[in-house]
Every structure is written in structure tokens, then in C-alpha cells.
Amino acid sequence: MTLYVASSNPGKLRDFAAAAAAATPAITLQPLPNLKEIPPPPEDEPTFEGNAIEKARFYSNHAPGQIVIADDSGLEVDALHGAPGVRSARFADDHNFHPVEAAEPPTPSLEPLSTDQRNNLYLLSLLTAIPLTERSARYHCVLAAARDGHILAIGHGAVEGEILSTPRGTSGFGYDPLFYLPHEDKTMAELDIQTKLTFSHRGRAFAALLGALQPRLKPSQIQ
């Protein structure tokens, strides 16, 4: 089966490829042709599933007859009623959060904070009064598969963890330096790539998607 991925995100592609390598029967992943030239659809649904469905439908119309997969994912913190959720990548910007830089007065050599750093700082500012024992959270991913604008299957995947008060590790991105995994005694950003791939929320969503997709396809449709 060949699936076309509507994403150019290296982390997502890595996680999906690792999950595809373990799939039976064999799965071939290909980038959606000309993805960079396709204006992206608005991601304005209130849920990961809603956004994944809309993206899969939209991009599948740009590859007639092919199966296209698209995802939406992010962090859900229970103490914040599931926030940042679908706004994970834009959390600080949504709330116009611009923390004061460390150096005062600022110097020309001072690099501005990255989007990930600002998102992490804003998350921590909301959890100041929340004890560590009440900071349960999860990375949640939803994948949708579509062909010619019609949804074929949906898969969910999640990894449970906790939010620390200070970042640890340098290998991750997003909220990885704050996302602590008790069973590993490390944050996502402290894990090596191979260990991370063994329980990736995206990998789990991909496996769930394949489980839902394959029974819906006739043998002649698996190409």
C-alpha cells in the first residue's frame, strides 16, 4: 500500500516512517507531490480530529485516486482543561505572550526567544500554582486518510506524561523539554531517537490508522 503524506515536518515524517517500517503488509510512504506549492487549508477546527479530517480531505483532492494521510497533534494538559490542544504551536502568540528577555538593557547579540521557548514559558506561567503531582498531560495525535475528498479511516495515538517546572534535555522540539515520562525518568528531549520512536504518539496514531484502513480496502485497491 502506498500512502502520500501531506506534511514536510521532519519529525512527523521520521515517526511515520518508523511506524510504516514495522507494518504488515508493507507500507510505502511518499511525500505528497508539489506540497509546497499547495496553499494550506485553514486549521480552524476545535479538535485534532477535525483538523486532520479537513486536511486529509483537502490534500487528497490534489492527488486523484491516491490515499493521502494528514495529521494534527499537540499537547493536552489536564489542569488546563486540555489546553493548549489544537493551538499548541501558536499558544504564546494566541495570548500575545512576550516574556521580558534575560538581558536588560537588551544587547545586539541577544537572540530572541524561539516560538518553542515562548510556548514553554507561557505554559509554565499558567502552571505556577499547580503542584507537580497535578500536572498530568499527554501528547495526542490524530491521523486521517482520505481519497478523492472522502475519509477512509482515522487513527488516534497518545503518550502520557507530566509537565515539569524546568526544561531538561536538548534533543527534542515543541514541549519536549518539559514533557516528563515517569517510566523512563526522562523528558522527551532527553531521549535518544530510537527510544522515542518506540512509543511515539504519531507512531501509535499511524498504527491505529492502518488497523482501521486496511479492512476497508479491497485487495485490488491496495497498491
Side-chain angles (χ1 to χ4, degrees), residues 14-15 18-19 158-159 181 183-184 188 191-201 203-204:
R14 179 198 64 212
D15 290 0
V159 176
L181 300 152
H183 60 282
E184 296 288 334
M188 275 287 198
L191 295 177
D192 62 85
I193 294 299
Q194 291 305 314
T195 301
K196 188 182 295 187
L197 288 175
T198 62
F199 50 81
S200 158
H201 56 302
R204 290 176 176 179

Side-chain angles (χ1 to χ4, degrees), residues 27-151:
I27 300 295
T28 299
L29 291 183
Q30 296 286 347
L32 184 68
N34 303 314
L35 179 61
K36 291 183 179 180
E37 282 70 51
I38 302 172
E43 296 184 39
D44 52 8
E45 294 293 325
T47 65
F48 295 129
E49 183 171 313
N51 280 328
I53 287 173
E54 287 305 308
K55 288 194 288 186
R57 282 175 173 159
F58 174 83
Y59 286 115
S60 69
N61 286 321
H62 291 268
Q66 304 301 324
I67 300 175
V68 176
I69 65 172
D71 86 297
D72 196 28
S73 60
L75 180 71
E76 297 173 330
V77 180
D78 293 326
L80 301 180
H81 308 290
V86 296
R87 305 302 296 176
S88 291
R90 300 164 287 275
F91 200 31
D93 285 340
D94 284 350
H95 299 274
N96 197 31
F97 180 75
H98 296 279
V100 177
E101 305 290 356
E104 294 184 6
T107 63
S109 62
L110 183 66
E111 294 185 3
L113 294 173
S114 68
T115 297
D116 284 348
Q117 289 173 320
R118 289 173 51 239
N119 285 336
N120 278 271
L121 287 171
Y122 183 56
L123 175 63
L124 290 177
S125 74
L126 298 178
L127 295 176
T128 301
I130 306 298
L132 291 175
T133 54
E134 298 177 16
R135 292 188 179 187
S136 56
R138 71 200 50 80
Y139 274 133
H140 184 187
C141 175
V142 181
L143 267 166
R147 182 166 49 202
D148 299 326
H150 300 284
I151 294 298

